[in-house]
Amino acid sequence: MAFTTRPTLRGTFGMVSSTHWLASQSAMGVLERGGNAFDAAVAAGFVLHVVEPHLNGPAGEVPAVLATATDPTPRVLCGQGPAPAAATVAHFRSLGLDLVPGAGPLAAVVPGAVDAWLLLLRDHGTRTLAEVLEPAIGYAAAGHPLVGPAGQTVARVRSLFTDHWPTSARLWLRDGRPPAPGEMVTNPAYADTLRRLVDAGRAAGADRETQIEAARLAWREGFVAEAIDAFSRLPFRDSSGRAHAGLVTGDDLAGWSATWEEPVTLDWHGHTIAKTGFWGQGPVLLQTLSILDALDDPRVHDPSSLEGIHAQAEALKLAFADREAWYGDTDVPGSALLSAGYARARAALVGDRADTTLRPGSPAGEPPRLPSHLHADVDRRTVPQDPSTGEPTVRADGVTRGDTCHVDVVDRWGNIISATPSGGWLQSSPVIPELGFPLGSRLQMCWLEEGLASTLRPGRRPRTTLSPTLVLRDGEPVMACGTPGGDQQDQWQLLFLLRHLAGGQELQEAIDAPTWHTTSFPASFYPREVEPGVLVLEDRIDGDVLAGLRARGHTVRLSDPWSLGRMCAVTRDPRTGVLSAAANPRGAQGYATGR
């Protein structure tokens, strides 16, 4: 038996895996009190707002993929808010901007996370709003020991807070200093916000769904929307180096709500893998798996071998090039991108040497179009800091490379969900003092150039990196998994799925195995860097393999031995009813729990 850092948990009652132990145990507590997987996921989501504030927040977003015990058909919950009505290319150009800033009010989209969590609770949960919000209210009001990376994030942006974002300084710089690791911190304003949502629900009546709808209304059209509208109009310094007011209004919040959508799926090696639509990067994983299969060489399915790493990296580059040219909240040639014929054509481009160019294809016969920003700078731009660690890399101006959170839950009835909440980071925008949280910065994923798949448009969703995964076998859901990591999310999931589904490794073994990713394509986050030919690998990978990769033309960059990825996973065997769970040990933060 292979050594693992933790056991793969097994039981029959319920399993949770998330990126923070308090969220995992809060979700498990909901299961223990009779709630289902969706009740538990909502409780975990709100706790993550409190305990991982540097990785997500209430004004962020959350996509999820789920299946219910009564209907195994996977569904997508879209909690990705769109660009506000005033967010036009002309407006940003009038401000002298070539890119949407990576931090500050101007980069905000319509907040999506809270409305999505409440929609999930209304449609598939069983508990009341007060019951699922109780853990988050408790941690926000009474305090929780803050994880070290959150305090480190505050330390990195300390001067930004003190010099330009005083409301953030008041919340996060107690006595003028960042929180120490494990220091008890509170967020009374956010606790009050959640209490007011509960009170709004109770005032509307005794019915559970009526209360949830009243809370949604208070968020979208009531006191929350009013506070966001007023604060968004104030100018604050952003990553452009100048002060700009935001664009999100109360009308924007009132005019949008979370939605249910069909997933994009791929049948692969006896499994069906379900992802969000092409408005997110999730189909990159499906394209990559298709390209690897088209290579018709079993060696390419091993993420630890020279042949496997090389082929997987080259396939990922091709899929991510297509992401840049074709993905967005628009009319995407999705069927062509996922067709077997197109996969074969793309696989023919995988050679023995590492490619350092950006090579999107023509899936529907039309020529691809890339942003001119990339044509001008792609070979000159370099990344100033390593974005590969499991915790966020944050510069002094508040720009983050977009790490996030994840939670998976499965219950004894067969309900299962994979959710990836993110955005609204404490470093993304100034705190709205009445509410206790900042706006997000997801708009930075849109281009300020006409004619692109991800061109900024009012009402259009930015092409998010958030990428939860649901896996089915014979039409039955068997696994929910995912990871934080921005552009790395589907790369790290690829390695995990290859090891678990194709290689037969147990959950924890597949998560613990050495991880790597490529940065040889345009980053989704400001300032949209590219590192042609670079592979970032944990230095536990075999030395002969590293030498072979260098010989094939890859630029090898070694990371710490336990630094890449924050995978979570839960499974259910439909035949026996046995549930399993595992979580990533990297960062000493994520935990699975269950029985």
Side-chain angles (χ1 to χ4, degrees), residues 7-11 15-16 507-508 571 579-582 591-595:
T8 295
L9 306 183
R10 290 182 177 83
M15 291 285 164
V16 182
L507 293 184
Q508 194 64 50
T571 65
L579 313 177
S580 301
Y591 272 89
T593 184
R595 68 173 178 87

Side-chain angles (χ1 to χ4, degrees), residues 179-450:
E183 182 176 346
M184 289 289 288
V185 298
T186 61
N187 189 339
Y190 186 48
D192 286 343
T193 295
L194 295 181
R195 290 192 189 105
R196 292 182 69 180
L197 293 179
V198 172
D199 290 343
R202 286 174 172 156
D207 178 71
R208 190 186 76 89
E209 293 185 11
T210 298
Q211 291 184 352
I212 295 169
E213 279 302 293
R216 293 179 73 198
L217 193 66
W219 177 273
R220 297 202 310 264
E221 300 182 32
F223 75 97
V224 174
E226 292 170 1
I228 289 175
D229 184 286
F231 195 79
S232 184
R233 299 172 189 271
L234 304 176
F236 288 93
R237 184 182 179 92
D238 58 37
S239 52
S240 72
R242 290 176 285 142
H244 296 107
L247 301 174
V248 177
T249 67
D251 288 342
D252 290 316
L253 271 83
W256 179 87
S257 64
T259 54
W260 294 107
E261 300 182 1
E262 298 296 321
V264 175
T265 61
L266 174 73
D267 292 331
W268 187 81
H269 290 228
H271 296 83
T272 300
I273 301 172
K275 303 289 289 185
T276 65
F278 286 89
W279 49 267
Q281 78 174 17
V284 160
L285 176 63
L286 309 184
Q287 278 197 255
T288 305
L289 289 169
S290 296
I291 293 170
L292 292 175
D293 272 6
L295 291 172
D296 197 24
D297 182 349
R299 296 179 300 170
V300 304
H301 290 146
D302 182 356
S304 298
S305 70
L306 172 59
E307 290 295 336
I309 295 175
H310 172 76
Q312 291 156 31
E314 296 305 295
L316 283 164
K317 293 175 190 177
L318 294 168
F320 274 101
D322 280 342
R323 182 194 74 166
E324 202 57 56
W326 299 107
Y327 287 26
D329 190 14
T330 184
D331 187 15
V332 178
S335 297
L337 284 165
L338 292 176
S339 69
Y342 185 66
R344 288 192 294 272
R346 300 297 273 162
L349 298 177
V350 177
D352 292 332
R353 298 280 301 172
D355 191 86
T356 58
T357 59
L358 197 61
R359 297 182 292 173
S362 301
E366 296 293 326
R369 182 174 175 187
L370 295 172
S372 57
H373 179 78
L374 301 178
H375 295 306
D377 295 337
V378 68
D379 292 327
R380 299 198 303 269
R381 214 171 317 126
T382 59
V383 178
Q385 299 182 43
D386 182 3
S388 61
T389 61
E391 304 302 333
T393 299
V394 185
R395 295 208 313 248
D397 60 4
V399 176
T400 179
R401 301 191 183 283
D403 216 339
T404 177
C405 308
H406 189 81
V407 58
D408 300 310
V409 189
V410 62
D411 64 30
R412 62 191 185 274
W413 301 289
N415 299 300
I416 188 169
I417 181 169
S418 170
T420 310
S422 186
W425 306 296
L426 66 85
Q427 66 275 18
S428 65
S429 200
V431 166
I432 302 170
E434 307 98 304
L435 302 178
F437 58 81
L439 294 174
S441 56
R442 190 67 57 176
L443 204 63
Q444 65 184 288
M445 296 182 172
C446 297
W447 289 105
L448 300 179
E449 180 178 345
E450 297 293 348

Side-chain angles (χ1 to χ4, degrees), residues 49-75:
H49 292 164
V50 179
V51 300
E52 289 193 319
H54 59 311
L55 303 178
N56 81 139
E61 44 272 332
V62 56
V65 191
L66 60 89
T68 69
T70 56
D71 183 0
T73 306
R75 294 282 287 166

Side-chain angles (χ1 to χ4, degrees), residues 48 86 108 119 125 132 165 169 171 227 266 331 336 400 447 453 494 534 562 567:
L48 287 170
L119 179 65
V132 298
W165 295 1
L171 177 60
L266 174 73
D331 187 15
T400 179
W447 289 105
L494 172 70
V534 169
W562 294 91
M567 281 294 308

